[in-house]
Every structure is written in structure tokens, then in C-alpha cells.
Amino acid sequence: MDTATILLIDDHPLLRKGLTQLIALEDGLEVVGEADNGTKGIELARELDPDLIILDLNMHGLDGLETLRILRAEGVTSRIIMLTVSDNDEDVIQAISFGADGYLLKDMDPVLILEKIKQAVSGEMVISDKLATILAKAIRKPDVSQKALLLNSLTSREFEILKQIAKGLTNKLIARELDITDGTVKVHVKHLLKKLGMRSRVEAAVWMLHQQK
């Protein structure tokens, strides 16, 4: 079995050291990079293309949520799980809507953290048991609807392009309107369709027009 590669992004050196030692106990896992801030983490994610990124939420400079949003906006396909002290409802919901594949708390038992990491590498969504009810409530609440979660998952540029699509503009016209290239528009459209779970720009346009009513 191939060894799964892991990148740690956390501004606490002791936490990174502890995680590295913990992960070293598992033969199929290997820490291939560490970053003490979001900017460096994004660079390493591009360079190393790890199987899994373990990302802290509260960091100096670029915080975890913004780092996560940039990683997904740039097309990083690594699985990403948040490992943080925050059990705030909004943080959990935002992280998942921005594209996180899991949300774990740092006060979990180390053995359980390792188990969750292995599950994440194998493709499972992982979340601390005490936070599962937060997500369940968010899904049921009409005010934190699928609409809000989907729109929150888009970057500001993707949202702007979605609005232009809803007006019926072509990629070429959108590019001219926003002063970017056709190719850049195509990439953004591809990403926003994937995030919205839609197959065509027409479907996205109809959906967006419905949201604006």
C-alpha cells in the first residue's frame, strides 16, 4: 500500500511536533511538510500536492478559513481537515461549506485523532462526535439553508462571475466586464459549478435567478 502524504499547517511548533510523532506511529502515513502560517502553507500545498492537509483554524496572519478558501479556489484537491480548539457553530459550518473534509478538536484523544486522520486519508468525512449535532441542526435550519452554504462556499470572484452568468453573459463578455482573460473565466466557472453541484452554466443561471427573487 502506498504511503499517504500529509502537510501540517499550524502556527504552534509543539503541536506540529506532537502530530508528526503521532503520525509516525502509523506505517501508511508520512508528514512531508510543515508550515507555521497560511501563506507558507498554500505554497507548500501547491509544491507538494499532499494527500491530506491538516489545517489549524486560528493562526496569525491568514487564518484557517481564509487559507482553506484560497486552497480550494486555486484548485487544490488534497483532502483538508481542520484541527482546532474552536467548537463554535459558525466556524464548523463555514469550514465545511468552504470545502473542508473534516473538523476535529485538539482536545480529542491522540489515538482517536490518528484514527480520524486514517479515515480522512481513505476518503471519509471526519468530524468530532460532539460537533455532529451542530451540522445536523444547520442542515435542518431554514435560515442556514443549502442556499447560504452553497453561496458561502464561493470565492468573491466566483460569486461575481455567477451573477454575470445569471445575466446571460458569455465567458468573453464576463472577461471584458471583469477585466480578466477568457481562460480565467473558464477556470472559475468550472470551480463554481463543481461547488454548486451543477452540470451547466444554464442550470447555475436559473438557480441564481431563483435565489435573487
Side-chain angles (χ1 to χ4, degrees), residues 154-210:
L154 302 180
T155 63
S156 56
R157 178 64 86 186
E158 287 166 352
F159 181 67
E160 187 62 36
I161 288 174
L162 179 58
K163 288 195 293 184
Q164 302 299 327
I165 289 173
K167 293 177 184 176
L169 271 62
T170 63
N171 284 355
K172 189 169 286 188
L173 288 173
I174 293 172
R176 193 180 303 163
E177 184 78 18
L178 301 180
D179 198 26
I180 54 180
T181 66
D182 288 15
T184 301
V185 174
K186 284 180 184 177
V187 171
H188 283 308
V189 171
K190 179 183 174 183
H191 287 161
L192 73 87
L193 288 177
K194 184 178 179 183
K195 288 180 181 180
L196 296 175
M198 295 173 186
R199 288 171 291 183
S200 72
R201 59 193 295 129
V202 174
E203 186 181 356
V206 172
W207 180 84
M208 187 60 182
L209 287 170
H210 181 71

Side-chain angles (χ1 to χ4, degrees), residues 25-115:
L25 298 173
E26 190 65 34
D27 289 340
L29 304 175
E30 180 188 3
V31 174
V32 293
E34 295 182 30
D36 60 3
N37 63 73
T39 303
K40 184 179 176 183
I42 292 165
E43 291 174 7
L44 284 177
R46 290 196 211 103
E47 178 189 330
L48 300 172
D49 189 25
D51 296 306
L52 177 69
I53 296 171
I54 299 176
L55 175 62
D56 188 17
L57 186 73
N58 301 309
M59 296 186 292
H60 298 299
L62 209 60
D63 68 23
L65 285 174
E66 189 59 25
T67 300
L68 170 63
R69 181 151 60 175
I70 292 170
L71 286 169
R72 290 308 190 211
E74 293 193 358
V76 171
T77 58
S78 308
R79 295 188 63 75
I80 303 174
I81 57 174
M82 312 303 292
L83 182 62
T84 176
V85 296
S86 173
D87 59 359
N88 179 275
D89 294 22
E90 190 175 336
D91 287 340
V92 178
I93 293 164
Q94 279 198 308
I96 300 302
S97 68
F98 284 177
D101 299 293
Y103 196 106
L104 304 177
L105 297 176
K106 288 181 177 179
D107 64 1
M108 289 171 61
D109 184 282
V111 175
L112 186 55
I113 289 179
L114 186 58
E115 187 60 36

